[in-house]
């Protein structure tokens, strides 16, 4: 990321203001498997809340925050996920970010982008007619 882009863009990672605020007011708490870094304020605010935030690796997309870190960000878990959660079960799938708009997005068989034909109708459909009623 270039110097000017880091000053003026917020969608490609942290801006200078966020980076400066992070160094002055917060401390690093952890990092997830995708490289996102999580921070917590050193002191609670006037209401007694401790601010928590994430600096994304790459584009800012909230769907790239795993569920365990999402619960920490919203204050549902007091401690970081590595310490407060049990180990993952064998049947659990890893989290996947939102793939809408990418080549990996789900496209049903009848969608134009999939290139497949939809299933033929079975003939049990009868169109409604106002005259028949």
């Amino acid at each position: 990321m270039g110097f000017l882009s880091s000053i003026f863009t917020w969608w490609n990672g942290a801006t200078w203001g966020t980076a400066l605020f992070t160094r002055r007011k917060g401390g690093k708490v952890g990092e997830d498997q995708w490289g996102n870094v999580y921070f917590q304020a050193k002191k609670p605010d006037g209401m007694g809340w401790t601010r928590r935030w994430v600096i994304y690796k790459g584009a800012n997309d909230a769907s790239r925050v795993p569920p365990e870190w999402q619960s920490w960000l919203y204050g549902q878990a007091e401690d970081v996920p590595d310490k407060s959660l049990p180990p993952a079960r064998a049947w659990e799938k890893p989290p996947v970010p939102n793939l809408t708009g990418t080549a990996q997005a789900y496209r049903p068989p009848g969608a134009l982008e999939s290139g497949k034909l939809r299933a033929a109708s079975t003939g049990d459909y009868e169109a409604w007619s106002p005259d028949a009623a």
Side-chain angles (χ1 to χ4, degrees):
M1 179 176 357
F3 176 72
L4 287 175
S5 110
S6 67
I7 292 175
F8 297 111
T9 61
W10 55 265
W11 53 88
N12 288 328
T15 61
W16 277 60
T18 304
L20 183 63
F21 177 82
T22 298
R23 293 198 186 270
R24 283 189 52 214
K25 304 275 185 177
K28 181 179 175 182
V29 175
E31 190 172 329
D32 65 16
Q33 67 265 28
W34 293 322
N36 300 328
V37 184
Y38 299 88
F39 296 90
Q40 184 169 345
K42 295 175 184 174
K43 298 180 198 174
D45 63 5
M47 301 285 290
W49 294 93
T50 304
R51 183 174 180 212
R52 298 172 175 179
W53 66 95
V54 59
I55 294 184
Y56 299 98
K57 180 178 182 183
N60 293 340
D61 181 10
S63 73
R64 293 179 52 222
V65 175
E68 59 270 12
W69 280 103
Q70 191 75 269
S71 65
W72 178 82
L73 280 171
Y74 285 107
Q76 297 168 338
E78 286 300 315
D79 214 350
V80 293
D82 299 339
K83 298 177 185 173
S84 64
L85 293 178
R89 306 266 193 325
W91 46 266
E92 288 183 51
K93 289 185 176 182
V96 178
N98 185 359
L99 299 175
T100 303
T102 68
Q104 293 87 21
Y106 171 73
R107 291 180 174 80
L112 295 175
E113 298 89 10
S114 70
K116 300 176 186 172
L117 296 175
R118 68 174 182 82
S121 109
T122 59
D124 59 355
Y125 174 75
E126 192 175 312
W128 177 79
S129 172
D131 298 330

